[in-house]
Amino acid sequence: MEARDALRATAAVAGRAATLKACGILAVLFVVGLLVLGLIGATAVKPAAADACGGRGTPGTDLEDLEDLEDGKPSGGGLSREEQKANAKIIDQVAEGGGLSGRATLIGLMVALQESSLLNLDHGHADSIGLFQQRPSQGWGTREQIMRPKYAASMFFFGDDDGDPRGLTDVPQWESKDVRTLVREVQRPDASTLDLYVVQESLARQIAVQAGIDLDRKGTAAPAESAGNPGPPVGNADRPQSREECYPDTDAKGGKPGNPFYDGTAAWPASVKNPRSAEDAIRWARREAETGGKDWYRKCLAFVAIAYGWNFSGVHYAVDHYKTMPASMKHDKDRNPPPGALMYWETGGRAGHVSIYLGDGKIASNDISRAGYIDVVDATDIETQWGSTYLGWAPPYFPHGG
């Protein structure tokens, strides 16, 4: 009996071991399968890239979630919340100018977010383009007209003069109707996608707050006379529109003083070599803003040099650092700096000012919010709060740094 019991015990242990081994193998195969599926899914949902007046994006997404990459590098196009806010303001101005309520603006923002991520795209399904993905072939206007945000918004709200295509205000009693009904009447999407427009409300309200838009505004009885007239076409339909044509109130380099800054895509020249990369410098600057001390009073040039890993810049004044840059590196008045660029201002004093551009219209700057500290602020604050004159941007080039 004892011998047989021993044999049974041995067989049972061996059986359990075999079972555990098999289960282990199956578990490993299951995990590997999940990883493969994850990798496939990750590569399958890359946002579409398309050059446009306003930037790049994927319908129905927030800019903060986009990973618009080509070969592992940013493909550019001015992605930023500032771009969304600029377009939101245009939509609101058209609505308010036409005597429409804040609810009309909210609906316009929700639709534009779902259609284009509130970006002025020059691509889409079939020949759809612009903020509202309107189609030239369906009577919404010429390509160059639709690529003007003001025109596109006017067509969305008021439609064509003959009622085809119809706009929001062409829908009887539109103020009392739900968003799904209005979208179906104006945009005419697939019925299965109507809920996608509705879920944009939270983000639309968030952007409206950031853009200073009053969504509680009451409508007026008499719309402005010019509200339904989008204006004559501009530009050439056979080429991409310039920012100046898309946004007539800005200059060709991205805007007038006080206007937002947008992310550019220019690469650094090969001669620009620093102990820290742009990504690491930005990360260091943000950390200094969060946890740093009162060490930077009137030390803007020292701050950007140290952010890039140097002990000193080798130049006395920020304004001189810019003026002595090689001509090929200076981008005078250009409001489209790439993240990591150095931005320069004349302040009325000898030294001038320099900050590091973080992206999305933000800079890390000393003394702007708290004397001696680093803070992350809008790049426009140097102009609007200090009254300084923007000189331009340059790559982080420190030939005399050490």
Side-chain angles (χ1 to χ4, degrees):
M1 288 292 292
E2 292 180 356
R4 284 197 299 271
D5 290 342
L7 287 173
R8 290 194 190 99
T10 303
V13 170
R16 283 195 296 271
T19 300
L20 290 172
K21 184 175 181 181
C23 290
I25 292 173
L26 289 173
V28 170
L29 291 175
F30 177 74
V31 172
V32 170
L34 289 178
L35 291 174
V36 170
L37 287 174
L39 290 172
I40 293 173
T43 57
V45 296
K46 288 291 184 182
D51 293 322
C53 295
R56 298 163 183 254
T58 300
T61 61
D62 184 6
L63 284 180
E64 294 174 352
D65 298 327
L66 294 180
E67 297 179 78
D68 190 13
L69 303 177
E70 294 175 359
D71 298 328
K73 298 179 180 179
S75 58
L79 276 177
S80 74
R81 177 54 59 82
E82 295 301 322
E83 191 101 21
Q84 288 182 311
K85 290 192 292 186
N87 288 326
K89 289 178 181 178
I90 292 173
I91 291 171
D92 183 57
Q93 289 164 5
V94 172
E96 185 175 16
L100 304 183
S101 65
R103 182 172 185 258
T105 295
L106 175 61
I107 293 169
L109 296 181
M110 292 167 65
V111 171
L113 278 166
Q114 173 56 28
E115 295 285 2
S116 68
S117 292
L118 198 49
L119 298 173
N120 198 24
L121 302 179
D122 74 347
H123 82 300
H125 173 69
D127 59 339
S128 300
I129 53 174
L131 286 174
F132 296 92
Q133 291 291 280
Q134 294 153 332
R135 300 181 61 181
S137 64
Q138 301 301 311
W140 288 98
T142 64
R143 177 183 174 83
E144 63 267 26
Q145 284 177 317
I146 296 172
M147 287 303 293
R148 294 191 68 182
K150 186 175 181 180
Y151 175 95
S154 185
M155 286 295 289
F156 172 77
F157 289 124
F158 306 107
D160 203 1
D161 291 338
D162 63 4
D164 185 23
R166 69 194 321 196
L168 179 70
T169 56
D170 292 320
V171 179
Q173 299 179 327
W174 68 268
E175 278 274 24
S176 61
K177 294 190 174 179
D178 64 275
V179 173
R180 292 179 184 83
T181 299
L182 297 172
V183 170
R184 183 172 61 245
E185 293 289 330
V186 179
Q187 297 298 105
R188 291 173 286 184
D190 186 281
S192 64
T193 66
L194 289 174
D195 286 341
L196 298 179
Y197 295 83
V198 177
V199 298
Q200 299 294 343
E201 181 174 355
S202 177
L203 180 57
R205 290 186 178 278
Q206 177 184 334
I207 293 174
V209 170
Q210 294 173 353
I213 294 172
D214 180 14
L215 295 180
D216 296 322
R217 180 185 69 247
K218 302 296 183 181
T220 59
E225 182 178 347
S226 62
N229 180 12
V234 297
N236 185 336
D238 295 328
R239 63 171 173 79
Q241 298 295 98
S242 68
R243 179 176 294 277
E244 189 174 22
E245 290 170 327
C246 287
Y247 303 91
D249 61 338
T250 65
D251 61 30
K253 291 186 176 180
K256 297 176 181 178
N259 280 2
F261 289 87
Y262 300 94
D263 293 5
T265 59
W268 306 151
S271 55
V272 176
K273 298 179 180 179
N274 297 297
R276 285 198 185 107
S277 66
E279 293 79 7
D280 288 340
I282 290 173
R283 192 176 299 111
W284 185 92
R286 286 188 178 278
R287 186 167 58 249
E288 186 65 23
E290 294 171 358
T291 63
K294 192 176 181 180
D295 304 318
W296 305 105
Y297 183 63
R298 294 188 177 182
K299 294 180 180 179
C300 59
L301 185 55
F303 168 69
V304 297
I306 292 172
Y308 271 96
W310 300 101
N311 292 319
F312 55 85
S313 68
V315 179
H316 290 299
Y317 300 112
V319 68
D320 291 344
H321 192 245
Y322 183 69
K323 290 180 178 179
T324 57
M325 283 273 181
S328 61
M329 293 188 188
K330 292 193 293 185
H331 299 264
D332 294 340
K333 304 295 183 182
D334 191 313
R335 300 178 83 86
N336 301 282
L342 304 184
M343 301 174 65
Y344 299 83
W345 290 264
E346 283 185 340
T347 59
R350 173 67 182 88
H353 187 68
V354 61
S355 296
I356 182 171
Y357 184 64
L358 305 179
D360 291 335
K362 301 292 186 179
I363 57 172
S365 173
N366 65 312
D367 299 339
I368 183 65
S369 297
R370 302 171 295 166
Y373 291 92
I374 302 299
D375 287 289
V376 174
V377 298
D378 290 337
T380 52
D381 283 3
I382 307 299
E383 293 171 316
T384 58
Q385 293 191 27
W386 287 355
S388 301
T389 300
Y390 176 59
L391 293 175
W393 68 268
Y397 184 54
F398 297 94
H400 305 296

